[in-house]
């Protein structure tokens, strides 16, 4: 009889294309992957892998069995969803990924609520960019992922996934206290044509959004510094090295030398959660979505308060400073 865990290993190899990729997807060592494949080859009585340069490739028999493995695993997931639904309570492991600001601004409250209301549920969380995490949900490496897109740049959601909107997150532009626009109660992106920008890593969805949005206002963006974390970007702004986008969700304390300027162009990003459509019946999925919606509602209220504070402003040292937004 074929072993299910070894079939999962074969399926991961087929999807990731390498032993290292399969190991990362399964959260095991490369040695464990190799051992599982060696045992599976003994079970079927023929080689499933062949050397391919420094790596490996699936043999014809390996590809044939991998196709069956994908269907078997899908059926097992459906069976697990049905059993969990019949039991009627959220139990077992739930693997969730979130982008950094949602990790800070939504998940702490949602996870605390899940722990209190569903003590048999075991969430496992990791920080991951939306493009990568949605692909991991499609592959079955994750159960859910929090993702974002922008009002003028949408991220395609694979057909295999169900999507639930959580909130719209407005943003401000962070400028140094001595910036010529720091006294303003609101600004337009088109006014930053002569500024250096601090942005996310090239190739990331948010970086591409910033470049295309600035170009849409007639600005050829001058991106001089790259930093993943918003807190790092704000530190660069405080040092007078440029300006950056400052989403309100999960923002946390703002350095004293930074001014937050609301954008009159209503620039905002959409925050949502995705999961596999065939997992709709799982009570753990439904419980997590509801907990995230409540956390998002609380965060939206705090973000609205932050927006009002930023619009009114408080004179500090000749500039306009917004009250720092504390994430949910």
């Amino acid at each position: 009889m074929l072993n299910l865990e070894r079939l999962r290993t074969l399926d991961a190899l087929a999807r990731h294309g390498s032993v290292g990729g399969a190991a990362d997807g399964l959260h095991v060592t490369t040695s464990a992957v190799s051992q599982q494949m060696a045992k599976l080859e003994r079970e079927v009585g023929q080689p499933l892998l062949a050397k391919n340069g420094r790596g490996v490739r699936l043999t014809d028999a390996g590809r044939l069995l991998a196709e069956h493995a994908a269907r078997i695993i899908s059926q097992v997931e459906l069976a697990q969803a049905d059993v969990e639904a019949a039991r009627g309570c959220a139990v077992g492991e739930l693997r969730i990924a979130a982008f950094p600001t949602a990790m800070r601004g939504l998940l702490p409250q949602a996870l605390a609520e899940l722990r209190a209301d569903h003590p048999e549920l075991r969430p496992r969380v990791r920080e991951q960019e939306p493009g990568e995490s949605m692909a991991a949900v499609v592959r079955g490496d994750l159960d859910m992922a929090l993702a974002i897109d922008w009002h003028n740049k949408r991220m395609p959601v694979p057909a295999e996934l169900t999507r639930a909107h959580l909130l719209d997150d407005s943003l401000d532009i962070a400028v140094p206290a001595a910036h010529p626009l720091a006294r303003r109660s609101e600004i337009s992106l088109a006014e930053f044509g002569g500024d250096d920008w601090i942005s996310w890593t090239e190739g990331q969805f948010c970086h591409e959004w910033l470049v295309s949005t600035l170009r849409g206002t007639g600005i050829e963006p001058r991106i001089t510094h790259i930093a993943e974390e918003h807190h790092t970007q704000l530190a660069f702004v405080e040092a007078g090295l440029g300006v950056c986008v400052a989403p309100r969700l999960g923002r946390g304390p703002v350095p004293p030398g930074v001014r937050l300027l609301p954008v009159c162009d209503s620039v905002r990003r959409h925050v949502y959660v995705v999961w596999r459509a065939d997992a709709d019946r799982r009570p753990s999925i439904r419980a997590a979505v509801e907990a995230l919606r409540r956390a998002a509602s609380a965060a939206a209220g705090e973000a609205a308060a932050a927006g009002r504070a930023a619009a009114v402003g408080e004179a500090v040292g000749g500039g306009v400073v917004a009250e720092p937004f504390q994430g949910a």
Side-chain angles (χ1 to χ4, degrees):
M1 182 179 294
L2 295 174
N3 178 280
L4 180 60
E5 289 309 308
R6 289 165 200 154
L7 290 178
R8 287 188 187 278
T9 303
L10 176 63
D11 177 64
L13 263 170
R15 288 186 284 104
H16 293 281
S18 69
V19 171
D24 290 341
L26 295 170
H27 305 290
V28 299
T29 64
T30 55
S31 176
V33 170
S34 298
Q35 290 173 19
Q36 289 284 66
M37 289 305 302
K39 291 177 182 178
L40 185 58
E41 287 181 328
R42 288 197 294 271
E43 286 179 351
V44 300
Q46 54 186 310
L48 302 174
L49 297 177
K51 288 189 178 297
N52 184 30
R54 294 185 177 181
V56 296
R57 61 173 178 80
L58 294 178
T59 64
D60 290 343
R63 286 194 297 271
L64 178 62
L65 186 56
E67 292 173 3
H68 286 288
R71 290 192 292 270
I72 291 168
I73 292 166
S74 178
Q75 286 301 118
V76 169
E77 289 174 352
L78 284 171
Q80 290 173 332
D82 284 343
V83 169
E84 188 179 325
R87 184 173 176 180
C89 57
V91 298
E93 185 177 87
L94 187 67
R95 301 160 298 171
I96 308 172
F99 56 95
T101 50
M103 197 82 157
R104 291 192 300 270
L106 293 180
L107 278 180
Q109 177 179 325
L111 293 177
E113 180 179 315
L114 287 173
R115 183 171 61 179
D117 295 344
H118 306 282
E120 294 185 68
L121 184 63
R122 301 188 307 278
R124 285 179 52 193
V125 176
R126 72 188 193 207
E127 190 173 289
Q128 195 170 30
E129 290 300 320
E132 299 171 356
S133 62
M134 280 202 287
V137 176
V138 171
R139 295 194 304 265
D141 298 337
L142 289 170
D143 297 305
M144 307 178 73
L146 277 76
I148 52 170
D149 57 25
W150 301 81
H151 71 289
N152 59 344
K153 187 176 180 66
R154 306 308 295 264
M155 178 177 286
V157 176
E160 300 95 328
L161 302 184
T162 298
R163 164 178 172 159
H165 177 264
L166 296 176
L167 78 156
D168 285 346
D169 184 30
S170 297
L171 54 85
D172 306 311
I173 301 300
V175 304
H179 193 281
L181 299 177
R183 294 175 179 269
R184 296 276 295 278
S185 59
E186 67 174 15
I187 46 83
S188 169
L189 289 177
E191 297 180 78
F192 290 95
D195 285 274
D196 292 337
W197 284 84
I198 300 135
S199 179
W200 301 270
T201 302
E202 291 183 33
Q204 284 190 6
F205 187 74
C206 289
H207 176 89
E208 300 304 320
W209 166 80
L210 178 62
V211 170
S212 63
T213 299
L214 291 176
R215 285 175 176 164
T217 66
I219 296 173
E220 182 56 37
R222 194 167 68 217
I223 296 173
T224 55
H225 303 291
I226 298 293
E228 292 286 343
E229 280 289 333
H230 286 289
H231 290 168
T232 305
Q233 294 181 4
L234 291 175
F236 274 58
V237 172
E238 185 178 35
L241 300 174
V243 302
C244 76
V245 171
R248 293 175 187 168
L249 176 65
R251 182 185 289 164
V254 176
V258 172
R259 305 295 180 257
L260 299 176
L261 306 178
V263 182
C264 62
D265 308 324
S266 296
V267 178
R268 64 195 182 279
R269 58 182 189 169
H270 310 293
V271 181
Y272 53 95
V273 59
V274 298
W275 63 93
R276 287 181 63 91
D278 56 18
D280 269 336
R281 289 167 287 184
R282 290 179 59 188
S284 58
I285 294 288
R286 295 199 298 270
V289 171
E290 289 307 311
L292 285 165
R293 280 176 169 156
R294 284 187 285 272
S297 179
E302 295 193 32
R308 290 191 294 271
V312 174
E314 176 185 351
V316 175
V320 176
V321 60
E323 292 292 329
F325 167 57
Q326 301 295 332

